[in-house]
Amino acid sequence: GARSQGGELSFKALLPWNFLASLGAAYVDARTTEPFASEAGEIPPDTRLPATPLLSGVASLTHSGELFGLHFTTNYSVSYQGESPNTLQNDYPLSRRVMHDLALNVGLRRYAWQPELNLSVTNLFDAKYTVFELGTPGGPLSITNQPRTVLLTLGLSY
């Protein structure tokens, strides 16, 4: 048996000069409710469930506008995920992580086909975090997050 309880809170504000600010936060307390046997041994009640950080959140700032006939939207966001157990035994705890993303969209809405160019950078500062780790006879097996990724697309609408 297990239980999960918590809450989420989000806030958006339209700011002057076409800016939009968004904040979101979550608290999740997910735990076992009764003891049970696993391959690695006895799991006691009140053990935190894997990959469930107590705290997580995101903040973003978006700006939209027109300049020289071009419609543009930019967005910068920062996300946070607190530390969490990796497995029920928590032999390799997952550390907290902070990720930054950036996006730019430029479009010509007044033309046929409405061409638009999108540039996005995920993991802007190329931070490296372990998202899963497991002990194996040859040593720990680790999986990390996606490295910095730059994506450029051209779109046409009809």
Side-chain angles (χ1 to χ4, degrees):
R3 66 136 175 87
S4 179
Q5 58 188 19
E8 293 183 25
L9 178 67
S10 65
F11 174 77
K12 288 186 179 184
L14 187 57
L15 304 174
W17 304 292
N18 294 329
F19 281 95
L20 174 68
S22 298
L23 296 170
Y27 170 81
V28 176
D29 187 18
R31 298 177 180 273
T32 59
T33 57
E34 53 193 56
F36 66 93
S38 75
E39 290 179 11
E42 184 77 14
I43 304 298
D46 207 37
T47 299
R48 286 186 51 205
L49 295 181
T52 55
L54 285 174
L55 296 174
S56 59
V58 65
S60 69
L61 185 64
T62 303
H63 183 262
S64 294
E66 297 245 352
L67 186 63
F68 305 116
L70 297 171
H71 177 79
F72 65 93
T73 302
T74 57
N75 178 271
Y76 179 75
S77 65
V78 179
S79 60
Y80 169 83
Q81 187 169 338
E83 60 186 39
S84 66
N86 180 51
T87 61
L88 287 169
Q89 294 78 21
N90 201 20
D91 43 1
Y92 297 100
L94 301 175
S95 64
R96 68 179 183 85
R97 51 187 182 259
V98 178
M99 301 290 285
H100 300 261
D101 299 322
L102 182 65
L104 171 65
N105 171 279
V106 179
L108 294 167
R109 292 185 174 173
R110 63 181 178 190
Y111 291 97
W113 298 90
Q114 299 178 12
E116 81 179 13
L117 184 67
N118 297 291
L119 172 67
S120 64
V121 183
T122 304
N123 192 3
L124 183 64
F125 299 114
D126 202 23
K128 185 176 180 180
Y129 298 103
T130 300
V131 296
F132 181 79
E133 196 161 20
L134 182 64
T136 67
L141 168 68
S142 297
I143 298 173
T144 60
N145 62 301
Q146 176 179 333
R148 179 188 305 122
T149 304
V150 178
L151 180 64
L152 180 65
T153 61
L154 173 64
L156 300 172
S157 299
Y158 58 94

